[in-house]
Amino acid sequence: MRAAIDLDSNFYEVSRLPSPYHLANVDDEQPTSHIIDAFKEYINNEIPSRLIDTSNLQFVSRGDVFRVFQDKIASVTDEQIQERIRRFHSDPLATYQPQRETVLRQIIQEIVKYDILSHRWDEIAGEPTYEDVSAGKRQASKFNKLVQFCKTSRKLGRKLAWVDTCCIDKTNAAELSEAIHGMYKWYANSYLCIVHLAESTSYADWDSESWFTRGWTLQELLAPRRLKFYDKNWRPFTSSTIDDDRKSVDEIHPLESITGISKAVLTADNSQGVQGRNFWEIMSWASKRQTTLVEDRAYCLVGFFRVSLTIAYGEGQRAFSRLFEVVAAKNPSWEMFAWFGQPSVDHFALPSSPASYPAFEADMGKNRVGVQKFTITAHGLSLKSLPPVPMEFCSVVQPEVPGKPFLVSLKPRSNNESCSGRYGDLVVECGATRFITIRDARQLSACVINHHAARNREQGKLMVGKEYICFLLYSEVAEDDEVMWMKLTTDNLLRISCLGKDETANSDMVILVSDSTGREAGIAEPDGVVSSLVTTVIRSPTPSK
């Protein structure tokens, strides 16, 4: 017996009714067994473990979901699948030919429909929990948003829906972990994501709408195939017949500027992940978003990278360090190091949070391979890079206002014997203590992390007139004539320019200069400085006493 709730009552009275999902006999008219297996596999692995009935707020388990849609499932035939495949084959504009499993999955998604809510949790009125809905009787103020969402979804024709506040038993660690790892997928597989902007009645309110500032809502914005915005009174923002408001970006003009996400990404199908976007760009979207719990700064991004991360609330910043390390092990790229500010408390070479990443700059990644091989250990960072560029202290501008950074200028060292190019000055923003470190350092070097590829894989190239992102390395002492590099934390993302060839360069470093036809020794390349890659080892700084 289950608790049925009258959605039109101000105080939800409970009556005890048998679940309608247990009345049907799934053996009456079954399609081919492999079709049934495909439906069950999808329901058990691709949608939330628990949905809610939009007509009475009863929970619906995965087993019950099959029964809800059994009539439509029974109508699926092998002939229907083959006919859809034939239509693809006969379409001259079709860019690829789907396999049987792909077509069957499309059919399953067209049948197993549920809506999903994206919202900012109400910390004043509160939100209904799993225990609240299970109990079946709660005050209207706490349930109002859930009721309005279910009414809206039911009006749009959906029987089932999902809400993060009550459809997860958060006291069950295994269920919570499944939800965090599966949430991107659940939003992607929903029929429609209904976004409730509780602080907005017009587009003018969007600048101060907190929904756009929350960590979890980033994936809720991008993952769904369809998304509709509703205002605080549950009125749709657009009158468009298009079932995805992101496809009406011209009408929803603030969306691109508020989120910092390009129209191309907002209107793309991101249900299988955000394709062609690197770590830096994704982190830049998340950089200005907040979460109530520190750990959620990492957990809310797990779905973007399709990685598994043990959920351990209470670990603090360590969660983001672990996310960084897991992503680096799966898909290492130089963009991961395009950060500034305070490092993680766990490791000097890792950022503390997404807030460490500045706005993404596409030009900095254009045709660049950068550092791809690196190893993070407990004692430091080892990476395959171009030879570090020797630098020396030039000047400093002290801040006139307390709390503002020092502006330190560094210039390439004149007796440069380790790299082949001529480089511009480096401007470093830092605090007083770090300024002293720079001034007193035995050696300083700039380590470029986003070089271009050269024809030889063991070499890298810098283009004359281009800017590059770099680390600032310093050395205080030497052991056995070996320089011990350490990375200096800066308050800005460091850039250095390649100005041209250094005529005193070592013989294994050459400059390629194109002639009027763009050819040099049969290689069609513009001006650039090519250097052999070296292993740069950066040690963990000695703890202050």
Side-chain angles (χ1 to χ4, degrees), residues 11-42:
F11 189 83
Y12 307 117
E13 295 296 338
V14 180
S15 59
R16 294 290 172 179
L17 297 175
S19 169
Y21 309 120
H22 295 295
L23 301 179
N25 183 356
V26 295
D27 297 322
D28 290 346
E29 293 184 44
Q30 289 192 354
T32 308
S33 60
H34 78 87
I35 296 177
I36 293 179
D37 290 341
F39 269 91
K40 288 183 176 178
E41 181 178 355
Y42 179 82

Side-chain angles (χ1 to χ4, degrees), residues 204-275:
D205 298 324
W206 282 25
D207 285 334
S208 58
E209 171 61 56
S210 61
W211 184 87
F212 292 106
T213 69
R214 307 307 296 172
W216 286 103
T217 59
L218 178 59
Q219 67 179 357
E220 296 165 15
L221 170 67
L222 296 177
R225 290 181 172 85
R226 305 171 192 85
L227 180 146
K228 297 288 285 185
F229 289 102
Y230 286 76
D231 70 10
K232 64 186 298 183
N233 299 312
W234 290 93
R235 295 174 301 202
F237 264 91
T238 70
S239 57
S240 172
T241 56
I242 301 175
D243 58 4
D244 187 352
D245 283 348
R246 296 166 302 184
K247 300 292 174 63
S248 304
V249 173
D250 292 335
E251 185 174 356
I252 306 181
H253 56 85
L255 191 56
E256 190 173 0
S257 61
I258 289 175
T259 62
I261 304 173
S262 69
K263 180 178 179 179
V265 175
L266 289 169
T267 57
D269 181 355
N270 300 308
S271 59
Q272 299 303 310
V274 182
Q275 305 298 322

Side-chain angles (χ1 to χ4, degrees), residues 404-419:
K404 294 292 183 179
F406 284 67
L407 298 181
V408 184
S409 293
L410 307 178
K411 63 181 182 179
R413 213 167 57 202
S414 56
N415 58 340
N416 178 0
E417 299 178 354
S418 61
C419 56

Side-chain angles (χ1 to χ4, degrees), residues 346-367:
D346 296 293
H347 200 290
F348 74 96
L350 308 186
S352 58
S353 76
S356 301
Y357 289 85
F360 178 66
E361 301 173 44
D363 287 345
M364 280 295 180
K366 189 175 182 181
N367 300 322

Side-chain angles (χ1 to χ4, degrees), residues 48-49 62 162 164 167-170 172-187 216 219 299 311:
S49 57
R62 282 173 169 155
W162 187 85
D164 57 353
C167 290
I168 306 171
D169 181 358
K170 298 176 182 65
N172 185 320
E175 183 173 327
L176 180 60
S177 179
E178 180 191 12
I180 289 174
H181 285 96
M183 204 169 295
Y184 189 102
K185 175 174 61 179
W186 294 352
Y187 274 87
W216 286 103
Q219 67 179 357
Y299 300 161
I311 306 304

